[in-house]
Amino acid sequence: MQVNLAANFNNVEKKVLLQFVLLVLICLLLASCSKKNHAHLSRYQFKSSNGQPDYANLNYWAAHPWLHDPSDSLPKALRHQIQNDSSADVFFLYPTTFTDKADTGWNALIDDAKLNAKTDYSTILYQASAFNQNTRVFAPRYRQAHYRSFFDKSPESVAAFNMAYEDIKAAFTYYLSHLNKHKPIIIVAHSQGTVHAAHLLKDFFEGKPLMDQLVCAYLIGMPLPETYFTALKPCQDSLGTGCFVGWRSFKKGYIEPDFVAKENFKSIVTNPITWKLDAELAPSSRNTGSVLKNFSKLKKGVTNAQIHGNVLWVRKPKFFGNFLLTTKNYHIADINLFYNNIRQNMAARISAYLQWHTP
């Protein structure tokens, strides 16, 4: 089922690939990419003896509470929120950053310095950091499947996703055995990470004792068929625990993109401003802060949000130079656009979880 979930998303990824030039522009505007990574290459000069990650070694974690890493960062307006209290753990699975030429193989090398720097100073900085309030953030490096795997049906593509998941499974097993110490857990993922996170939730949480430690799963950027899980249910509001949320962001008015029209299932969609599953329009005035190109600056009211069928409709993001933003698929900004709303919601869910689970 893990690979089938990836297949459901293949047309989304293909659409994005065909619009590569536009996406480069969006990266520059919405800060899902960063030019800083090359300045940090010296930090990534480690080499695996067997080509596999060793999760007892801190080099194989993109984020870890024993490291000073980009997930510890915050926009200037939020830096007063840094606290020593770590009430829960976040296990973060990053999206596809392995987008080099197709002749580089099906899976990323675990010790590719350029790729690890790219990952850390893009998605770990701009996405994982949204979840660092009162938590310990863990993000394992994994041999992610190449970008093209999403729209290739070959056995090699299937094997690539399986290899990536085996790394994540090994990381989570190590985390549970050596690091968790019975803390509440929040699973967070985007895009390819969500493919693997959904699989992880089935393997470790559904129908198992670990469900009791689950605060929430943020499964972002992928279609989530309402029948995918059995025991794990979608959150109904902003305070639900032991449940999951997820959305895919598109410009308001984008009527039935081809890849969405072909979906023969109902996808769970959460409004990341109201945290409900209904069609209420959440105005931009309730968007408490987005992170765009300048990570240090939190910008309020950038966009609104409203569920429309299997996707989330948002107003074209408001920022200087937004006339250059012509694509209607805001996939890479799924977290950026709602950065502070996500942050506030996670804190509220942790508080609700602790209230209900206090001995």
Side-chain angles (χ1 to χ4, degrees), residues 205-218:
F205 289 85
E206 280 218 306
K208 298 177 177 64
L210 202 59
M211 270 288 288
D212 191 54
Q213 284 179 242
L214 183 66
V215 177
C216 184
Y218 291 80

Side-chain angles (χ1 to χ4, degrees), residues 274-288:
T274 67
W275 302 101
K276 296 180 180 179
L277 302 172
D278 59 27
E280 175 190 356
L281 172 64
S284 58
S285 60
R286 295 179 61 184
N287 186 327
T288 59

Side-chain angles (χ1 to χ4, degrees), residues 9 37 40 77 83 90 116 126 142 177 210 217 237 267 269 354 359:
F9 196 56
N37 48 23
H40 300 278
Q83 301 178 33
V90 168
N116 289 333
Y126 284 93
Y142 65 98
S177 298
L210 202 59
D237 55 33
S267 180
V269 186
L354 294 176

